[in-house]
């Protein structure tokens, strides 16, 4: 094995060229889904570990499918019911994975920065892919959203994307703002003042507390899940009021231009941030996003593990500092 | 680098291959042409056009990217994928003619055979190349060859096509020539 491994920890690490390479590679790999044999021999003999400290069935299955379609061996490691629940540290878990010879670790952690710690602490040599860390980043979700937008709208340059809802707790929003800005889209965040993150002025996007004026100018609107599990403080008065001001229902969807699409990273709270009618409409890309997730994750695993050197994000942060 | 074939010679070689394919397959009724990106894909398209001009009917043609099937993936940096475009009728029961620019070690063709096996089950597979430069590392040979070009291992063969490089030519040089060109 040559040199250091590269990782995918944040969309901020991706140049426009890197991101485009991932999306183009995903587009080629997507065609595999129509074939009778949905498998490539590319990562035969490599081991990918899904290390999940937080529950997420859909992300784990998506990564697992992606790795298996490339013929990698997959080990699923969930913190629940493992030694982690007996008090084992991230470091000891990492050392175990290193001893087992993992080539890539897909990590979901409840703490922001968990993936970064695993990648740069020197415990393991394998590539680390961030599958969501706390309220920080979820880069492959942003990549699959960008992929979906690109295939629905034809391109991202100059397109206007509106992200609505609980931006404060949303790693999906953070990752998307950075990636979409890198790819030339104009992003507007819409949220109640209590759910707008501190320091958002420094992000490459504009903000609004009102949804209705923004919709007619949007090529796409991305509804975020209201994270009931993080709503331990009074961020908004009632769910009904939130739904009325920031939820997407059929009447509000009618404000969008003809070609605009509606996205949601899932899982949805039907009737809260999105009505069932909107979620099941022809404009909604929600199931498309799931299918695209597999192609994008295949592309990421291939570009990180497929050659002797990774083709994306080769600059090592640890060494730059 | 020295030109071994000029544009007219490349054209003549392709015309001959097109006629040979028609002759050996008795009209190429169930034939499908699959080019290996990038230059093999352009050659396959040109052969399909030539055959159409002779027979008055078009032959199904497409491209077959073999990147994910290569046996040297772990030796080189990860590379971008090419395009795979299989004609609507698929490859099951068909006579597939693989088309590439240069036949060398044979490893690209081995990868192509593996890729083809995942797409379907052709009746038979044949191989057409513009240049056969020798030095095979696998038991693979071409059915249609534009030019047999005996070379040394240290020599390089470059195929240039109008679609990608502005003009058609086959050039023979040494590895030193190539690195000088790369520096330019």
């Amino acid at each position: 094995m040559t040199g250091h491994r590269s990782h995918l920890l944040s969309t901020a690490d991706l140049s426009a060229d890197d991101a485009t390479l991932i999306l183009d590679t995903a587009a080629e790999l997507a065609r595999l889904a129509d074939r009778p044999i949905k498998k490539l021999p590319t990562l035969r003999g490599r081991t990918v570990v899904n290390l999940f400290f937080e529950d997420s069935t859909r992300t784990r299955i998506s990564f697992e499918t992606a790795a298996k379609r490339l013929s990698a061996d997959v080990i699923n490691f969930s913190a629940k019911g493992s030694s982690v629940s007996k008090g084992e540290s991230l470091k000891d878990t990492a050392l175990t994975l290193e001893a087992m010879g993992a080539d890539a670790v897909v990590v979901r952690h409840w703490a922001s920065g968990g993936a970064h710690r695993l990648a740069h602490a020197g415990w393991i040599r394998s590539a680390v892919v961030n599958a969501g860390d706390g309220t920080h980043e979820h880069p492959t979700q942003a990549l699959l959203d960008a992929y979906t937008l690109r295939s629905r709208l034809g391109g991202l340059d100059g397109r206007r994307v509106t992200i609505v809802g609980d931006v404060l707790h949303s790693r999906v929003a953070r990752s998307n703002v950075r990636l979409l800005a890198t790819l030339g889209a104009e992003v507007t965040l819409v949220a109640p003042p209590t759910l707008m993150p501190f320091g958002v002025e420094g992000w490459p996007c504009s903000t609004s507390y009102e949804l209705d004026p923004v919709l007619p100018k949007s090529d796409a609107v991305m509804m975020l899940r209201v994270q009931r599990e993080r709503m331990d403080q009074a961020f908004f008065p009632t769910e009904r009021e939130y739904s009325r001001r920031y939820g997407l229902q059929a009447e509000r969807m009618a404000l969008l231009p003809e070609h605009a699409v509606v996205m949601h990273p899932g899982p949805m709270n039907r009737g809260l941030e999105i009505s069932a009618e909107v979620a099941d409409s022809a404009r909604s890309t929600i199931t498309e996003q799931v299918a695209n997730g597999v192609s994008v994750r295949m592309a990421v695993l291939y570009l990180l593990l497929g050659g002797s050197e990774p083709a994306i994000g080769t600059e090592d942060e640890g060494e730059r500092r | 680098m020295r030109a071994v074939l000029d544009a007219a010679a490349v054209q003549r070689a392709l015309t001959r291959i097109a006629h040979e394919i028609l002759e050996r397959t008795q009209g190429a009724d169930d034939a499908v042409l699959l080019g290996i990106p990038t230059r093999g894909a352009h050659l396959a398209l040109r052969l399909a056009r030539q055959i159409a001009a002779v027979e008055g009917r078009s032959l199904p043609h497409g491209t077959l990217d073999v990147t994910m099937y290569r046996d040297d993936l772990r030796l080189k940096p990860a590379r971008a994928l090419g395009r795979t475009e299989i004609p609507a009728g698929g490859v099951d029961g068909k006579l597939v003619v693989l088309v590439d620019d240069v036949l060398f070690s044979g490893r690209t063709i081995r990868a192509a055979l593996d890729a083809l096996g995942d797409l379907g089950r052709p009746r038979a597979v044949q191989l057409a190349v513009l240049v056969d430069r020798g030095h095979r590392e696998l038991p693979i040979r071409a059915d249609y060859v534009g030019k047999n070009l005996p070379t040394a291992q240290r020599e390089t063969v470059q195929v240039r096509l109008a679609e990608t490089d502005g003009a058609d030519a086959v050039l023979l040089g040494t590895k030193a020539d190539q690195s000088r060109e790369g520096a330019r």
Side-chain angles (χ1 to χ4, degrees), chain A residues 187-205:
Chain A
V187 184
T188 306
L189 296 175
V190 179
T194 46
L195 288 173
M196 199 64 97
F198 180 74
V200 74
E201 313 80 53
W203 295 17
C205 62

Side-chain angles (χ1 to χ4, degrees), chain A residues 257-276:
Chain A
E258 226 20 52
H259 67 274
V261 294
V262 175
M263 309 177 79
H264 193 297
M268 290 178 276
N269 298 307
R270 282 176 186 250
L272 180 50
E273 71 265 5
I274 191 165
S275 74

Side-chain angles (χ1 to χ4, degrees), chain B residues 25-43:
Chain B
T25 60
Q26 287 157 15
D29 283 331
D30 62 349
V32 176
L33 293 173
L34 289 183
I36 297 171
T38 48
R39 288 182 181 77
H42 297 307
L43 293 175

Side-chain angles (χ1 to χ4, degrees), chain A residues 26-264:
Chain A
E28 283 307 318
L29 293 170
R31 302 145 66 91
L32 193 70
D34 305 327
R35 294 200 203 156
I37 299 175
K38 297 175 184 50
K39 213 165 165 92
L40 293 165
T42 317
L43 297 184
R44 217 177 49 203
R46 309 274 183 125
T47 304
V48 175
V49 177
N50 288 325
L51 178 58
F52 277 59
F53 290 92
E54 208 180 56
D55 290 333
S56 170
T57 311
R58 79 176 59 210
T59 304
R60 184 182 58 71
I61 291 177
S62 182
F63 269 108
E64 186 172 348
T65 309
K68 284 182 170 169
R69 285 195 178 166
L70 292 171
S71 301
D73 295 316
V74 183
I75 297 171
N76 287 313
F77 188 109
S78 123
K80 245 186 211 158
S82 76
S83 300
V84 174
S85 57
K86 300 176 194 162
E88 190 181 65
S89 67
L90 179 61
K91 179 177 177 177
D92 287 326
T93 307
L95 293 175
T96 307
L97 297 178
E98 177 69 10
M100 286 177 180
D103 294 292
V105 179
V106 175
V107 62
R108 153 82 49 115
H109 204 278
W110 63 75
S112 301
H116 190 274
R117 180 84 178 133
L118 188 65
H120 293 297
W123 303 325
I124 53 171
R125 279 171 300 169
S126 50
V128 174
V129 180
N130 185 1
D133 59 332
T135 59
H136 178 227
E137 281 252 17
H138 194 356
T140 56
Q141 176 71 41
L143 284 161
L144 77 88
D145 289 338
Y147 180 92
T148 308
L149 281 169
R150 199 175 76 158
S151 54
R152 277 287 190 118
L153 302 175
L156 284 167
D157 199 35
R159 292 299 191 161
R160 284 188 281 231
V161 182
T162 303
I163 303 178
V164 189
D166 181 5
V167 179
L168 179 65
H169 296 107
S170 177
R171 51 195 175 209
V172 174
R174 266 177 193 72
S175 287
N176 260 300
V177 166
R178 287 169 162 171
L179 181 66
L180 291 172
T182 303
L183 291 170
E186 292 168 31
V187 184
T188 306
L189 296 175
V190 179
T194 46
L195 288 173
M196 199 64 97
F198 180 74
V200 74
E201 313 80 53
W203 295 17
C205 62
S206 44
T207 56
S208 165
Y209 299 140
E210 300 285 335
L211 181 53
D212 289 343
V214 184
L215 288 179
K217 295 176 288 183
S218 302
D219 297 300
V221 50
M222 192 181 294
M223 304 307 297
L224 299 174
R225 184 171 67 92
V226 174
Q227 304 190 30
R228 286 182 163 124
E229 70 274 21
R230 296 193 214 264
M231 292 297 155
D232 42 4
Q233 296 155 46
F235 288 108
F236 46 80
T238 63
E239 288 194 351
R240 212 172 123 204
E241 183 179 327
Y242 178 88
S243 178
R244 199 163 41 78
R245 296 199 57 187
Y246 297 100
L248 194 64
Q249 306 86 7
E251 314 85 73
R252 198 165 256 153
M253 185 168 72
L255 297 174
L256 286 166
E258 226 20 52
H259 67 274
V261 294
V262 175
M263 309 177 79
H264 193 297

